[in-house]
Amino acid sequence: MAENDSLAEFLNSAVDAAKSAGEIIRKGFYQTKQVEHKGLVDLVTETDKACEDLIFKHLKQIYPTHKFIGEETTAAYGVTELTDEPTWIVDPLDGTTNFVHGFPFVCVSIGLTIGKIPTVGVVYNPIMDELFTGIRGKGAFLNGNPIKVSSQTLLVKSLLATEAGTKRDKQTLDATTNRLNSLLYKVRSLRMSGSCALNLCGIACGRLDIFYEVGFGGPWDVAGGAVIVTEAGGVVYDPSGKEFDITAQRVAASNPLLKDDFVDALRQSE
């Protein structure tokens, strides 16, 4: 019982942090952005940095012994190894390119791992005011209402989500477009909404049926959403069909009924 109480407390703390950061995103969304480049098409704004600072400060005050991994601190100071200790993994603004363009698929993603297992997840889109939450073993919710994955069993009737990534070399682009070309013969349609965390939440609430992405930024893109998908009755796995590794920059998600056919289709598309 004590553990359940503490997990609920962790979730409430994460929700408070996400909503505070969401206020910064909401205000910045309608203003002129100060944009920097992390790569050719990989962007970062002052809002990303301000949100991460706010979230870390909020959570560190409450949980001074916990570990922290964030997208912007990792970019500035290097990779922090994920240990078994309670670790908050934060993407302060997933969908930065969307944010810069005024496209409303942006979110704060906060995940807590315990023993390297995603245990608490919060994903908040402040523009659409959608709050996705999940606690391991306790279900998944959208704005307080229970959610579950789709019941679709056929790939040909499935809505697929993926992302183009930020690499623009010919080899990567050819591999990406060839894979999509193969998959589009087998699914109903394709979406690229620009946020890994929101794609996972789309699986969790049944808006999307299948999702995969390789080469995304890091564990902060998936730590929150992975809990929410699993708690909504979905499965999160490596696109090869192997077990999901939060540090591998490879993810696929779906309902359990579609997993084997989707993994086969991905294998045939390579």
Side-chain angles (χ1 to χ4, degrees), residues 39-182:
L40 184 65
V41 295
D42 198 6
L43 308 178
V44 62
T45 70
E46 289 301 315
T47 303
D48 295 72
K49 298 171 185 176
C51 286
E52 186 160 311
D53 288 346
L54 182 153
I55 293 164
F56 277 10
K57 184 178 179 183
H58 179 92
L59 294 173
K60 282 178 178 176
Q61 280 183 333
I62 310 170
Y63 310 113
T65 63
H66 288 189
K67 307 286 189 195
F68 292 84
I69 297 174
E71 179 172 21
E72 303 316 324
T73 45
T74 298
Y77 303 112
V79 174
T80 303
E81 185 183 358
L82 181 63
T83 68
D84 287 336
E85 296 295 309
T87 304
W88 295 96
I89 305 178
V90 175
D91 191 336
L93 203 177
D94 190 34
T96 301
T97 300
N98 288 344
F99 177 75
V100 169
H101 286 265
F103 188 81
F105 273 70
V106 300
C107 68
V108 183
S109 174
I110 302 175
L112 176 68
T113 61
I114 300 174
K116 298 181 185 171
I117 296 170
T119 303
V120 173
V122 172
V123 176
Y124 179 51
N125 179 340
I127 311 306
M128 301 174 78
D129 196 27
E130 291 192 330
L131 175 69
F132 295 89
T133 57
I135 296 176
R136 191 164 183 243
K138 297 293 173 187
F141 300 86
L142 167 54
N143 291 343
N145 298 309
I147 53 174
K148 62 180 181 178
V149 294
S150 82
S151 56
Q152 185 54 252
T153 59
L154 299 174
L155 276 186
V156 73
K157 291 186 176 180
S158 295
L159 189 57
L160 165 68
T162 189
E163 298 298 335
T166 55
K167 293 181 180 176
R168 291 295 179 267
D169 60 283
K170 187 176 189 310
Q171 185 178 0
T172 302
L173 287 180
D174 285 350
T176 300
T177 53
N178 288 342
R179 185 179 296 123
L180 288 178
N181 189 53
S182 171

Side-chain angles (χ1 to χ4, degrees), residues 18-30:
K19 289 202 165 180
S20 295
E23 279 297 315
I24 297 175
I25 293 172
R26 194 182 294 117
K27 287 173 183 172
F29 189 77
Y30 298 102

Side-chain angles (χ1 to χ4, degrees), residues 7-19:
L7 292 181
E9 180 192 314
F10 294 155
L11 179 74
N12 289 336
S13 301
V15 167
D16 288 345
K19 289 202 165 180

